[in-house]
Amino acid sequence: MKLIKTFYALILMFLSLRIFNLKRHLKDKRVAIIGAADSVFDEKNGDYIDSFDVVIRINKSALVWNKENADYLGSKFTYLFHSFYENNYSGGGPINFKEFKKLGIQNLVHPNSDSKGLKAHLNFYKRHLKLKKTYILSPRLYKKITKELGCFQPTVGFSAIYSALNTDCKELYLTGFTFFKSPYLPGYRDDLRDTISNKRHIEKQGIHDPDVEFEVFKNLVQNSGNKRIILDSRLRKLIT
């Protein structure tokens, strides 16, 4: 039975999985990427966020969004970058296509295109057993990201940021990213809102290194040329 289920999931994955075409989706667009740090509540930028052509959100963002915080978070969802780990420990959260459709999410992107990422994708299809189109980053781009980070796997949020910074988008706005130097926004991962506990959690996993990501990010911003990059006030202070 398990073998049949795996074989069926492989067929679904073969028929459904696509490369996320960054040029088509982001080129010449105004792009906003909304992270899960509490800094999103520093300013009421909801209308400003919704003014962008493309709004990318991360992991559990679709689960914690509600009308009450739309003044801060906006209400526009275009693409959701997700770890495809639908448990509380990983931070990805459940994937609910009905709810995602209501929110206007057009594409579901799992950025990791290495063997671990493809395994996560296969397990996703084994769980859902549905013909649902999903996306990964191109192997070439993902290798470029991992090369920058050495032996560490990029967080989903960093993959989204790196992808946007490597396209010809017209403008990029980032908010809700402090590279784990501040707590998550309320309701996102309340068990890890304490920054010390979260740091221990990340170190225990041994998969990501937010400090390395932060250094790579600063370098990307400083060498972005004429690309218009707008950072929220907290992130702007962190890199100066």
Side-chain angles (χ1 to χ4, degrees), residues 69-83:
N69 58 33
D71 286 345
Y72 295 91
L73 301 177
S75 57
K76 189 172 185 176
F77 287 73
T78 312
Y79 309 129
L80 180 67
F81 275 57
H82 196 284
S83 71

Side-chain angles (χ1 to χ4, degrees), residues 56-102:
I56 297 173
R57 299 182 190 264
I58 312 298
N59 281 331
K60 287 184 178 179
S61 57
L63 303 177
V64 301
W65 182 90
N66 57 60
K67 291 181 180 179
E68 286 69 33
N69 58 33
D71 286 345
Y72 295 91
L73 301 177
S75 57
K76 189 172 185 176
F77 287 73
T78 312
Y79 309 129
L80 180 67
F81 275 57
H82 196 284
S83 71
F84 273 35
Y85 292 107
E86 298 182 64
N87 55 68
N88 290 325
Y89 185 75
S90 72
I95 293 173
N96 187 321
F97 285 102
K98 287 184 179 179
E99 291 301 316
F100 290 0
K101 186 176 181 180
K102 290 178 183 178

